[in-house]
Amino acid sequence: MGHADDDIETGSPVGMEKHRPFEDATGDVSGESFEVGDTWYARTQRLAGRFKIEQRGIERVPENERTDNSLMKVGTMWLSANMVVSSLAIGALAVTVFHLGFVDSLLTILFINILAITPVCFFSTFGPRLGLRQMVLSRFYFGFHGVKIIAIFNILAGVGWSSVNAIVGAQLLNAVNNNVPGYAGIIIIAAATFFVTLFGYKVVHAYEYWSWIPCFIIFLIVLGEFAHSGKFSNLPMGVGQSEAGSILSFAASVFGSGTGWTSLAADYTVYQPAKSSRVKVFAWTFAGLIFPLCFAQILGLAVATATVDTPEYLAGYKESGVGGLLAAVLFPPLGRFGQFCLVVLALSIVANNCPNIYSLTFSLQVMGRWTQNIPRFIWTFIGTLVYCAIAIPGYSHFESVLENFMLLIGYWLAIYEGIALGEHFFFKKGYLGYHLEIYNQPSRLPPGIAAIIAFCFGVFGAVMGMAQVWFIGPIGQHIGTPGYGGDIGFELAFAFSLISYIGLRTLEVKHFGR
């Protein structure tokens, strides 16, 4: 064993059955046993260890290896991941898509983000206490096999949003220099993301610790230049049924953006000491999320108000989306420096994609014993190739289709939260209800039948209440403007899954005793 700081990057060898004796009675696998043996797995891990690549996958982190004492990194992790152009684009939707006023949009951004990130903050406190990745922790809610359904959705979300984000970044680079083709921009962003996530937990945190700073500075420049331009318009608040439907639909976009980190929250605190203050972990996570989300989204909202009365802003948005909007703010007064700012914002996509790709590997590893046999860093490489293969043709052929599909499947997060929170508060009754030694034992974990059926009820609720480009649910269509509806899919998905789970899980516990 090396210094405590180095121990963060060690892991367990639970990749081959012959390595399983190294898992102790508590379910821990020590880092020292990781490279033992002469199997392909052990040799690969020894090679990775020489380059300080994190070797641990979904195996539980022993308490003596939870040595990352910096709570500030918990906050900066999410600060960088959300201080990006993607967050700004969410705010702009209030005006450009939902035709809302400034004040009502601002209030929606503030209060919905608080609601959206609370589950992320809550599950972040599980990492230090239990030492388990979020998808492995989810076995206590969905069972050993049932969790694979959740993992599939998490894989789709990680790959899909990484593809969408890479396309957006490539479009920004192309807007600055037409000689940079879309595929080149995607490869640049994907390669940078891969090299950060390849090395694992410590390098991801180190990158996210600093990467928010240039983006924040550029956002301040955007704010200053836009304020100086005098193009801001305090759009009036609407009234009536149309306003209600638009607010609910915009709220769904804001909620989905913030709560999307729930399914990987614990992944970024598993190396925090077991005795870390839950209040402090929650608070640092909350601060790291609420500030960039609200700041960037409100900035996007403010800049988008200029599209109503300023033709060049509207033309820029129609031509290149949020990139064109930023170009309208930065290029005329700043020239080449404005172009440089746009390049930096394009590369900020790396910070947004790092959590998606790093955590993607854990969702893949819970799919089966054979997927766990493949080291985390190899899955990182495979995941990168897959989302590049989607993004490159998607750049010019089906970007809008891909984005609409991602928005359509986003309701699963509310279902996940309904079931997980229901299990934690009504059945586990707190942290003491988690028997950690069984996290890898299918016969002792919940059967998962109640969770799967409740998940189906949640899907039914989402379908009833959604209002998306491809489909408007029978309840959603009665809210707001006819033909557009109002989106209450998240609310119904959460309610249907929670209520049905409590009843079904009660019966499941009585029948199976676990």
Side-chain angles (χ1 to χ4, degrees):
M1 296 289 286
H3 296 292
D5 193 49
D6 294 330
D7 290 345
I8 291 175
E9 299 304 329
T10 59
S12 76
V14 185
M16 298 293 187
E17 291 299 325
K18 62 181 66 179
H19 285 130
R20 294 202 180 281
F22 292 100
E23 184 175 299
D24 66 22
T26 66
D28 292 342
V29 186
S30 73
E32 290 179 328
S33 63
F34 198 43
E35 301 172 0
V36 175
D38 194 37
T39 63
W40 169 85
Y41 183 91
R43 292 195 299 270
T44 305
Q45 295 287 22
R46 282 197 292 271
L47 178 63
R50 291 174 194 163
F51 294 95
K52 303 297 182 184
I53 293 173
E54 181 187 12
Q55 299 157 312
R56 184 180 299 279
I58 60 172
E59 302 79 27
R60 184 172 180 237
V61 183
E63 286 193 23
N64 67 332
E65 294 182 22
R66 298 177 212 166
T67 56
D68 184 7
N69 292 298
S70 175
L71 281 172
M72 182 180 291
K73 289 198 295 188
V74 176
T76 56
M77 174 72 213
W78 302 116
L79 176 59
S80 289
N82 293 281
M83 187 68 75
V84 293
V85 70
S86 304
S87 298
L88 191 143
I90 293 292
L93 294 177
V95 176
T96 60
V97 174
F98 300 109
H99 309 293
L100 294 167
F102 180 74
V103 174
D104 48 345
S105 300
L106 187 150
L107 293 173
T108 301
I109 288 171
L110 177 61
F111 290 110
I112 296 300
N113 270 315
I114 291 173
L115 182 66
I117 67 175
T118 298
V120 187
C121 303
F122 177 69
F123 285 112
S124 291
T125 66
F126 283 64
R129 190 68 175 261
L130 307 182
L132 293 173
R133 310 285 188 176
Q134 189 69 39
M135 280 297 103
V136 181
L137 168 65
S138 301
R139 288 174 175 172
F140 288 98
Y141 315 135
F142 293 86
F144 188 87
H145 298 292
V147 78
K148 296 172 186 178
I149 296 174
I150 299 303
I152 289 171
F153 278 92
N154 214 26
I155 291 165
L156 290 173
V159 171
W161 283 120
S162 294
S163 302
V164 171
N165 292 339
I167 290 171
V168 171
Q171 289 172 336
L172 289 176
L173 292 174
N174 182 258
V176 174
N177 185 346
N178 291 330
N179 292 323
V180 179
Y183 72 85
I186 290 169
I187 291 173
I188 290 169
I189 291 168
T193 305
F194 170 70
F195 281 113
V196 174
T197 55
L198 170 68
F199 288 93
Y201 179 95
K202 189 163 71 172
V203 174
V204 169
H205 269 288
Y207 179 79
E208 305 283 9
Y209 190 85
W210 299 104
S211 66
W212 66 273
I213 297 174
C215 296
F216 181 55
I217 292 171
I218 292 171
F219 281 161
L220 290 177
I221 293 171
V222 171
L223 176 61
E225 290 295 338
F226 182 68
H228 185 261
S229 73
K231 302 292 176 57
F232 171 74
S233 176
N234 187 6
L235 302 176
M237 185 185 304
V239 295
Q241 188 176 3
S242 176
E243 169 76 1
S246 296
I247 285 287
L248 286 169
S249 295
F250 178 56
S253 299
V254 174
F255 183 84
S257 173
T259 209
W261 304 117
T262 301
S263 59
L264 40 94
D267 296 353
Y268 300 95
T269 55
V270 289
Y271 289 105
Q272 291 285 326
K275 295 183 179 180
S276 296
S277 167
R278 282 175 282 173
V279 173
K280 289 181 179 179
V281 172
F282 188 101
W284 274 106
T285 306
F286 186 88
L289 284 163
I290 197 68
F291 174 67
L293 286 170
C294 287
F295 176 78
Q297 289 173 10
I298 292 172
L299 178 60
L301 163 66
V303 175
T305 63
T307 61
V308 176
D309 298 319
T310 310
E312 57 265 34
Y313 278 66
L314 180 60
Y317 187 81
K318 284 185 175 180
E319 182 179 349
S320 305
V322 71
L325 202 58
L326 290 169
V329 177
L330 296 173
F331 287 5
L334 300 178
R336 289 193 175 276
F337 180 70
Q339 294 178 341
F340 170 76
C341 290
L342 213 57
V343 170
V344 174
L345 290 180
L347 296 177
S348 74
I349 296 295
V350 173
N352 193 238
N353 273 0
C354 278
N356 289 328
I357 298 305
Y358 177 68
S359 292
L360 171 69
T361 59
F362 309 126
S363 296
L364 287 162
Q365 286 192 325
V366 301
M367 293 302 295
R369 299 293 189 187
W370 73 271
T371 58
Q372 191 178 348
N373 291 349
I374 299 174
R376 177 202 65 82
F377 44 86
I378 293 178
W379 280 124
T380 301
F381 179 67
I382 294 172
T384 300
L385 292 180
V386 170
Y387 87 79
C388 280
I390 295 172
I392 290 173
Y395 180 89
S396 55
H397 292 93
F398 54 86
E399 179 201 355
S400 61
V401 174
L402 178 62
E403 188 164 358
N404 288 331
F405 174 73
M406 296 310 302
L407 292 171
L408 192 65
I409 69 167
Y411 298 100
W412 80 272
L413 291 160
I415 302 172
Y416 174 83
E417 290 165 1
I419 294 171
L421 294 174
E423 175 69 24
H424 178 80
F425 287 108
F426 290 93
F427 298 97
K428 293 287 189 289
K429 301 185 186 301
Y431 292 99
L432 296 179
Y434 294 83
H435 302 290
L436 299 176
E437 69 278 3
I438 71 170
Y439 84 90
N440 211 23
Q441 301 177 29
S443 62
R444 300 180 63 188
L445 287 164
I449 299 170
I452 293 170
I453 298 175
F455 189 90
C456 294
F457 275 102
V459 171
F460 176 74
V463 171
M464 295 292 288
M466 68 172 58
Q468 293 289 337
V469 173
W470 289 349
F471 181 77
I472 301 176
I475 296 178
Q477 69 182 357
H478 291 294
I479 305 170
T481 305
Y484 293 93
D487 197 323
I488 56 170
F490 279 103
E491 295 90 331
L492 292 183
F494 180 85
F496 278 42
S497 59
L498 175 62
I499 294 170
S500 61
Y501 181 74
I502 292 172
L504 291 165
R505 179 68 172 137
T506 301
L507 296 175
E508 186 178 63
V509 171
K510 286 183 178 179
H511 183 76
F512 292 97
R514 55 186 170 98

